[in-house]
Amino acid sequence: GCGGGYDMFSGVPLFYAIRERLGKDNVFIGNLAFTAQPGELSPPPETYGRCCYGVTAAAKSQLAASHSYYFPEKQFATWHEKKHGDAITVFTFVRSGVKHYTEAMTAVCTKHNVDTIILVDGGTDSLCKGDEQGVGTPSEDSLSMISVDNCRRNGVVKNTLSSRS
């Protein structure tokens, strides 16, 4: 998800379409996280740089029960495993600056031989009225887009594409 949160689900149909063509071991999904941090999960997740960690269906959050329902990365990993019978890792990026986000994306891409990154945004930015408490989504979208472009310019990936659903 380009802007994080439930933006990730805008990319799910594309994730499955590409996965069907390239094979399940060649397609990955990631998201900017708003909830659980690596230290709040058990078992401890695999980390990539300073601000990315892998979330699987097995992840258990130590968040208060009242907040544990908002964990889209785990929700998707759990649903996928039940529906398709195989475990996946959702690469979950913690809010940070461009430098650390780029380093984390580079670590994921290098470890898994990623050559293309496709960003998908949920497109809810257009629903803003102007009285919101903050303008998170433009800055979060920009963080993802700049970091992905840095990966392309640094030769980590060959192709990038951004889309709004």
Short mmCIF file of all heavy atoms in Angstrom, two decimals, residues 1-3 7-8 10-15 17-19 22 27-31 101 105 109 114-121 144-145 148 157-164:
data_model
loop_
_atom_site.label_atom_id
_atom_site.label_comp_id
_atom_site.label_asym_id
_atom_site.label_seq_id
_atom_site.Cartn_x
_atom_site.Cartn_y
_atom_site.Cartn_z
N GLY A 1 0.83 -1.19 0.00
CA GLY A 1 0.00 0.00 0.00
C GLY A 1 0.86 1.24 0.00
O GLY A 1 1.73 1.39 0.84
N CYS A 2 0.63 2.12 -0.92
CA CYS A 2 1.43 3.33 -1.06
C CYS A 2 1.36 4.20 0.19
O CYS A 2 2.36 4.64 0.70
CB CYS A 2 0.94 4.10 -2.28
SG CYS A 2 1.92 5.55 -2.67
N GLY A 3 0.16 4.46 0.68
CA GLY A 3 -0.01 5.33 1.84
C GLY A 3 -0.15 4.59 3.14
O GLY A 3 -0.25 5.17 4.20
N ASP A 7 -4.70 0.75 2.42
CA ASP A 7 -4.29 0.92 1.02
C ASP A 7 -3.79 -0.40 0.44
O ASP A 7 -3.97 -0.68 -0.74
CB ASP A 7 -3.16 1.95 0.88
CG ASP A 7 -3.65 3.38 0.77
OD1 ASP A 7 -4.88 3.60 0.83
OD2 ASP A 7 -2.79 4.26 0.63
N MET A 8 -3.19 -1.21 1.29
CA MET A 8 -2.64 -2.48 0.84
C MET A 8 -3.69 -3.31 0.10
O MET A 8 -3.39 -3.97 -0.89
CB MET A 8 -2.11 -3.27 2.05
CG MET A 8 -1.56 -4.63 1.71
SD MET A 8 -1.00 -5.51 3.17
CE MET A 8 -2.54 -5.97 3.90
N SER A 10 -6.00 -2.45 -1.83
CA SER A 10 -6.22 -2.01 -3.21
C SER A 10 -5.29 -2.76 -4.16
O SER A 10 -5.59 -2.89 -5.35
CB SER A 10 -5.98 -0.51 -3.34
OG SER A 10 -6.92 0.20 -2.59
N GLY A 11 -4.17 -3.23 -3.67
CA GLY A 11 -3.22 -3.96 -4.49
C GLY A 11 -3.40 -5.47 -4.50
O GLY A 11 -2.73 -6.18 -5.25
N VAL A 12 -4.32 -5.99 -3.68
CA VAL A 12 -4.48 -7.44 -3.57
C VAL A 12 -4.88 -8.10 -4.90
O VAL A 12 -4.30 -9.12 -5.27
CB VAL A 12 -5.44 -7.80 -2.42
CG1 VAL A 12 -5.87 -9.25 -2.46
CG2 VAL A 12 -4.77 -7.48 -1.08
N PRO A 13 -5.85 -7.55 -5.66
CA PRO A 13 -6.17 -8.21 -6.94
C PRO A 13 -4.96 -8.28 -7.88
O PRO A 13 -4.73 -9.30 -8.53
CB PRO A 13 -7.27 -7.32 -7.53
CG PRO A 13 -7.90 -6.67 -6.34
CD PRO A 13 -6.77 -6.45 -5.38
N LEU A 14 -4.16 -7.23 -7.91
CA LEU A 14 -2.96 -7.22 -8.73
C LEU A 14 -1.94 -8.23 -8.20
O LEU A 14 -1.29 -8.94 -8.97
CB LEU A 14 -2.37 -5.81 -8.77
CG LEU A 14 -1.20 -5.57 -9.70
CD1 LEU A 14 -1.58 -5.90 -11.14
CD2 LEU A 14 -0.76 -4.11 -9.59
N PHE A 15 -1.80 -8.31 -6.89
CA PHE A 15 -0.91 -9.28 -6.25
C PHE A 15 -1.24 -10.70 -6.73
O PHE A 15 -0.36 -11.45 -7.15
CB PHE A 15 -1.05 -9.17 -4.72
CG PHE A 15 -0.37 -10.27 -3.94
CD1 PHE A 15 1.01 -10.30 -3.77
CD2 PHE A 15 -1.12 -11.27 -3.34
CE1 PHE A 15 1.63 -11.29 -3.03
CE2 PHE A 15 -0.52 -12.28 -2.60
CZ PHE A 15 0.86 -12.28 -2.44
N ALA A 17 -3.09 -11.59 -9.42
CA ALA A 17 -2.96 -11.72 -10.88
C ALA A 17 -1.51 -11.96 -11.28
O ALA A 17 -1.21 -12.84 -12.10
CB ALA A 17 -3.51 -10.48 -11.57
N ILE A 18 -0.60 -11.19 -10.70
CA ILE A 18 0.82 -11.35 -11.03
C ILE A 18 1.35 -12.67 -10.46
O ILE A 18 2.13 -13.37 -11.10
CB ILE A 18 1.64 -10.14 -10.53
CG1 ILE A 18 1.19 -8.88 -11.27
CG2 ILE A 18 3.13 -10.37 -10.74
CD1 ILE A 18 1.78 -7.60 -10.72
N ARG A 19 0.92 -13.00 -9.28
CA ARG A 19 1.34 -14.25 -8.63
C ARG A 19 0.95 -15.46 -9.48
O ARG A 19 1.70 -16.43 -9.59
CB ARG A 19 0.67 -14.31 -7.25
CG ARG A 19 1.25 -15.29 -6.30
CD ARG A 19 0.56 -15.07 -4.95
NE ARG A 19 1.28 -15.77 -3.92
CZ ARG A 19 0.85 -16.88 -3.34
NH1 ARG A 19 -0.30 -17.39 -3.66
NH2 ARG A 19 1.57 -17.46 -2.42
N LEU A 22 3.54 -15.41 -12.45
CA LEU A 22 4.95 -15.57 -12.13
C LEU A 22 5.26 -16.64 -11.10
O LEU A 22 6.41 -16.99 -10.90
CB LEU A 22 5.54 -14.23 -11.66
CG LEU A 22 5.48 -13.07 -12.62
CD1 LEU A 22 6.10 -11.83 -12.00
CD2 LEU A 22 6.17 -13.41 -13.93
N VAL A 27 6.39 -13.16 -6.08
CA VAL A 27 5.60 -11.95 -5.90
C VAL A 27 5.43 -11.70 -4.40
O VAL A 27 5.13 -12.63 -3.64
CB VAL A 27 4.22 -12.08 -6.57
CG1 VAL A 27 3.42 -10.80 -6.43
CG2 VAL A 27 4.38 -12.44 -8.05
N PHE A 28 5.62 -10.46 -3.99
CA PHE A 28 5.58 -10.10 -2.58
C PHE A 28 4.65 -8.90 -2.39
O PHE A 28 4.39 -8.16 -3.33
CB PHE A 28 6.99 -9.74 -2.08
CG PHE A 28 7.99 -10.81 -2.40
CD1 PHE A 28 8.78 -10.73 -3.53
CD2 PHE A 28 8.14 -11.91 -1.57
CE1 PHE A 28 9.70 -11.72 -3.85
CE2 PHE A 28 9.05 -12.91 -1.87
CZ PHE A 28 9.84 -12.81 -3.01
N ILE A 29 4.19 -8.72 -1.17
CA ILE A 29 3.33 -7.58 -0.86
C ILE A 29 3.86 -6.89 0.39
O ILE A 29 4.40 -7.53 1.28
CB ILE A 29 1.85 -8.03 -0.70
CG1 ILE A 29 0.91 -6.82 -0.71
CG2 ILE A 29 1.67 -8.92 0.52
CD1 ILE A 29 -0.55 -7.18 -0.97
N GLY A 30 3.74 -5.56 0.40
CA GLY A 30 4.22 -4.79 1.54
C GLY A 30 3.29 -3.64 1.83
O GLY A 30 2.42 -3.29 1.03
N ASN A 31 3.51 -3.00 2.98
CA ASN A 31 2.62 -1.93 3.40
C ASN A 31 3.31 -1.04 4.44
O ASN A 31 4.15 -1.51 5.20
CB ASN A 31 1.35 -2.53 4.01
CG ASN A 31 0.19 -1.58 4.05
OD1 ASN A 31 -0.01 -0.80 3.13
ND2 ASN A 31 -0.59 -1.65 5.11
N TYR A 101 13.62 4.36 5.02
CA TYR A 101 12.63 3.65 4.21
C TYR A 101 13.30 3.07 2.96
O TYR A 101 13.08 1.92 2.59
CB TYR A 101 11.50 4.61 3.84
CG TYR A 101 10.19 3.97 3.45
CD1 TYR A 101 9.04 4.21 4.16
CD2 TYR A 101 10.08 3.15 2.32
CE1 TYR A 101 7.82 3.66 3.79
CE2 TYR A 101 8.88 2.60 1.94
CZ TYR A 101 7.74 2.85 2.68
OH TYR A 101 6.55 2.31 2.30
N MET A 105 13.65 -0.85 1.94
CA MET A 105 13.19 -1.37 0.64
C MET A 105 14.35 -2.05 -0.09
O MET A 105 14.17 -3.10 -0.71
CB MET A 105 12.62 -0.26 -0.23
CG MET A 105 11.23 0.13 0.13
SD MET A 105 10.56 1.17 -1.17
CE MET A 105 8.87 1.26 -0.64
N CYS A 109 14.38 -5.90 -1.33
CA CYS A 109 14.58 -6.16 -2.77
C CYS A 109 15.83 -6.99 -3.02
O CYS A 109 15.83 -7.89 -3.86
CB CYS A 109 14.66 -4.85 -3.54
SG CYS A 109 13.09 -3.96 -3.59
N VAL A 114 14.04 -8.80 -5.99
CA VAL A 114 12.92 -8.05 -6.56
C VAL A 114 13.44 -7.15 -7.67
O VAL A 114 14.44 -6.45 -7.49
CB VAL A 114 12.22 -7.20 -5.47
CG1 VAL A 114 11.16 -6.28 -6.06
CG2 VAL A 114 11.62 -8.11 -4.40
N ASP A 115 12.78 -7.17 -8.83
CA ASP A 115 13.20 -6.30 -9.92
C ASP A 115 12.15 -5.26 -10.30
O ASP A 115 12.41 -4.35 -11.07
CB ASP A 115 13.62 -7.10 -11.16
CG ASP A 115 12.48 -7.86 -11.81
OD1 ASP A 115 11.34 -7.81 -11.30
OD2 ASP A 115 12.73 -8.51 -12.83
N THR A 116 10.95 -5.37 -9.75
CA THR A 116 9.89 -4.43 -10.05
C THR A 116 9.09 -4.14 -8.78
O THR A 116 8.77 -5.07 -8.04
CB THR A 116 8.93 -4.99 -11.12
OG1 THR A 116 9.68 -5.29 -12.30
CG2 THR A 116 7.82 -4.01 -11.46
N ILE A 117 8.79 -2.87 -8.55
CA ILE A 117 7.93 -2.47 -7.44
C ILE A 117 6.74 -1.72 -8.02
O ILE A 117 6.89 -0.80 -8.82
CB ILE A 117 8.66 -1.55 -6.44
CG1 ILE A 117 9.85 -2.27 -5.80
CG2 ILE A 117 7.68 -1.07 -5.36
CD1 ILE A 117 10.68 -1.38 -4.90
N ILE A 118 5.55 -2.14 -7.61
CA ILE A 118 4.32 -1.46 -8.02
C ILE A 118 3.67 -0.89 -6.76
O ILE A 118 3.37 -1.64 -5.83
CB ILE A 118 3.35 -2.44 -8.72
CG1 ILE A 118 4.02 -3.06 -9.95
CG2 ILE A 118 2.05 -1.72 -9.09
CD1 ILE A 118 3.22 -4.18 -10.58
N LEU A 119 3.47 0.42 -6.72
CA LEU A 119 2.79 1.06 -5.61
C LEU A 119 1.32 1.24 -5.98
O LEU A 119 1.00 1.72 -7.06
CB LEU A 119 3.39 2.43 -5.31
CG LEU A 119 4.79 2.46 -4.75
CD1 LEU A 119 5.27 3.90 -4.63
CD2 LEU A 119 4.85 1.79 -3.40
N VAL A 120 0.43 0.88 -5.06
CA VAL A 120 -1.01 1.07 -5.28
C VAL A 120 -1.55 1.86 -4.10
O VAL A 120 -1.30 1.54 -2.94
CB VAL A 120 -1.74 -0.29 -5.40
CG1 VAL A 120 -3.24 -0.07 -5.60
CG2 VAL A 120 -1.16 -1.10 -6.54
N ASP A 121 -2.30 2.90 -4.41
CA ASP A 121 -2.88 3.77 -3.39
C ASP A 121 -4.39 3.57 -3.38
O ASP A 121 -5.02 3.41 -4.42
CB ASP A 121 -2.53 5.23 -3.71
CG ASP A 121 -2.99 6.18 -2.63
OD1 ASP A 121 -2.75 5.88 -1.44
OD2 ASP A 121 -3.58 7.22 -2.96
N SER A 144 6.61 6.78 0.26
CA SER A 144 6.71 5.55 -0.52
C SER A 144 7.22 5.82 -1.92
O SER A 144 8.11 5.11 -2.42
CB SER A 144 5.34 4.85 -0.60
OG SER A 144 4.93 4.43 0.67
N MET A 145 6.67 6.84 -2.58
CA MET A 145 7.07 7.11 -3.96
C MET A 145 8.53 7.53 -4.07
O MET A 145 9.25 7.07 -4.95
CB MET A 145 6.15 8.18 -4.57
CG MET A 145 4.75 7.66 -4.81
SD MET A 145 3.67 8.81 -5.69
CE MET A 145 3.46 10.11 -4.50
N VAL A 148 10.79 4.40 -3.37
CA VAL A 148 10.80 3.48 -4.50
C VAL A 148 11.63 4.06 -5.64
O VAL A 148 12.42 3.35 -6.27
CB VAL A 148 9.36 3.16 -4.95
CG1 VAL A 148 9.34 2.52 -6.33
CG2 VAL A 148 8.69 2.25 -3.94
N VAL A 157 16.21 -1.87 -8.23
CA VAL A 157 15.13 -2.45 -9.04
C VAL A 157 15.18 -1.83 -10.43
O VAL A 157 15.69 -0.73 -10.62
CB VAL A 157 13.74 -2.23 -8.41
CG1 VAL A 157 13.60 -2.96 -7.09
CG2 VAL A 157 13.40 -0.77 -8.26
N LYS A 158 14.62 -2.55 -11.40
CA LYS A 158 14.63 -2.05 -12.78
C LYS A 158 13.39 -1.24 -13.11
O LYS A 158 13.43 -0.30 -13.89
CB LYS A 158 14.70 -3.23 -13.76
CG LYS A 158 15.96 -4.04 -13.65
CD LYS A 158 15.88 -5.24 -14.60
CE LYS A 158 17.05 -6.17 -14.34
NZ LYS A 158 16.90 -7.44 -15.02
N ASN A 159 12.26 -1.63 -12.53
CA ASN A 159 10.99 -1.03 -12.93
C ASN A 159 10.19 -0.58 -11.71
O ASN A 159 10.17 -1.25 -10.68
CB ASN A 159 10.13 -2.07 -13.68
CG ASN A 159 10.89 -2.70 -14.82
OD1 ASN A 159 11.25 -2.03 -15.76
ND2 ASN A 159 11.14 -3.99 -14.70
N THR A 160 9.50 0.55 -11.85
CA THR A 160 8.59 1.01 -10.83
C THR A 160 7.32 1.50 -11.52
O THR A 160 7.36 1.99 -12.65
CB THR A 160 9.18 2.14 -9.97
OG1 THR A 160 9.48 3.26 -10.81
CG2 THR A 160 10.42 1.69 -9.24
N LEU A 161 6.21 1.37 -10.82
CA LEU A 161 4.94 1.82 -11.34
C LEU A 161 4.07 2.23 -10.16
O LEU A 161 4.04 1.54 -9.15
CB LEU A 161 4.25 0.67 -12.11
CG LEU A 161 2.85 0.91 -12.62
CD1 LEU A 161 2.85 1.95 -13.75
CD2 LEU A 161 2.23 -0.40 -13.10
N SER A 162 3.39 3.36 -10.28
CA SER A 162 2.47 3.81 -9.25
C SER A 162 1.07 3.85 -9.82
O SER A 162 0.88 4.21 -10.98
CB SER A 162 2.85 5.20 -8.75
OG SER A 162 4.12 5.18 -8.16
N SER A 163 0.09 3.48 -9.01
CA SER A 163 -1.29 3.45 -9.48
C SER A 163 -2.21 3.86 -8.34
O SER A 163 -1.93 3.61 -7.17
CB SER A 163 -1.65 2.04 -9.93
OG SER A 163 -3.02 1.95 -10.23
N ARG A 164 -3.30 4.46 -8.68
CA ARG A 164 -4.34 4.80 -7.71
C ARG A 164 -5.58 4.03 -8.10
O ARG A 164 -6.00 4.09 -9.24
CB ARG A 164 -4.60 6.31 -7.72
CG ARG A 164 -5.77 6.65 -6.81
CD ARG A 164 -5.79 8.10 -6.48
NE ARG A 164 -4.72 8.29 -5.52
CZ ARG A 164 -4.24 9.45 -5.19
NH1 ARG A 164 -4.69 10.54 -5.75
NH2 ARG A 164 -3.28 9.56 -4.31
#
